[in-house]
């Protein structure tokens, strides 16, 4: 959906992921370009990863995702960091936050952001490992809304890719 984002090592992946999630959660349509860039800089500094990722590239990654989602689901309403909770038949309780949910009248789309390293193939392999998490979140959202999941996707931020995750076993 966009260009690769250059991540300058060394960087703690947990902090980088938290910074990316924080910016994507705060980034809203209608903000001025200068304001978005200031938010990106502040978030990267807050997580001490400003030397690993340029604010301009982070904003560009968010722009690419926005263009992609608006083309595919133009009428959908966007929800960021949507809280999810699900008690499974086994008694296990899942509590978390869905990164990005696009909701329309009949269905929803779930997108999860991941900051994984490596080349394209390595990133795609890593994305497949998150299928269970995404489809469990989708089950929680479906139970809460009565709507069905039209798709689950991983946004591989560093690679500029969005990958469809078709089922729990990928």
């Amino acid at each position: 959906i966009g260009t690769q984002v250059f991540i300058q090592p060394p960087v703690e992946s947990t902090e980088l992921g938290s910074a990316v999630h924080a910016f994507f959660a705060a980034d809203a349509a209608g903000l001025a370009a200068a304001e978005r860039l200031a938010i990106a800089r502040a978030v990267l500094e807050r997580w001490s990863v400003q030397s690993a990722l340029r604010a301009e590239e982070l904003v560009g990654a968010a722009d690419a995702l926005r263009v992609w989602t608006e083309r595919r689901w133009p009428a959908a309403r966007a929800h960021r960091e949507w809280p999810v909770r699900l008690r499974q038949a086994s008694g296990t309780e899942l509590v978390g936050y869905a990164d990005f949910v696009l909701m329309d009248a009949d269905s929803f789309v779930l997108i999860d952001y991941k900051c994984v390293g490596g080349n394209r193939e390595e990133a795609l392999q890593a994305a497949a490992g998150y299928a269970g998490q995404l489809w469990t979140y989708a089950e929680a959202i479906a139970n809460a809304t009565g709507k069905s999941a039209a798709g689950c996707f991983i946004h591989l931020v560093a690679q500029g890719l969005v990958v469809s995750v078709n089922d729990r076993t990928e």
Side-chain angles (χ1 to χ4, degrees), residues 5-105:
V5 173
F6 181 71
I7 297 174
Q8 176 67 46
V11 63
E12 189 64 42
S13 60
T14 303
E15 280 78 9
L16 180 63
S18 294
V20 169
H21 278 80
F23 175 73
F24 279 28
D27 188 33
L31 291 175
E35 186 175 3
R36 293 177 69 220
L37 194 55
I39 292 169
R41 284 188 181 118
V43 166
L44 292 170
E45 288 174 11
R46 188 171 307 119
W47 287 97
S48 301
V49 293
Q50 68 273 20
S51 63
L53 176 60
R54 291 183 39 235
E56 293 82 1
E57 288 188 303
L58 182 54
V59 171
D63 288 343
L65 182 63
R66 180 175 289 130
V67 167
W68 183 78
T69 58
E70 287 177 355
R71 282 187 185 150
R72 292 191 67 161
W73 302 281
R77 184 168 179 220
H79 302 273
R80 291 172 177 81
E81 298 299 320
W82 188 332
V84 294
R85 186 178 199 139
L86 177 69
R87 183 175 302 278
Q88 297 175 314
S90 65
T92 301
E93 188 171 32
L94 164 90
V95 178
Y97 291 90
D99 294 343
F100 193 48
V101 179
L102 298 166
M103 187 74 61
D104 67 19

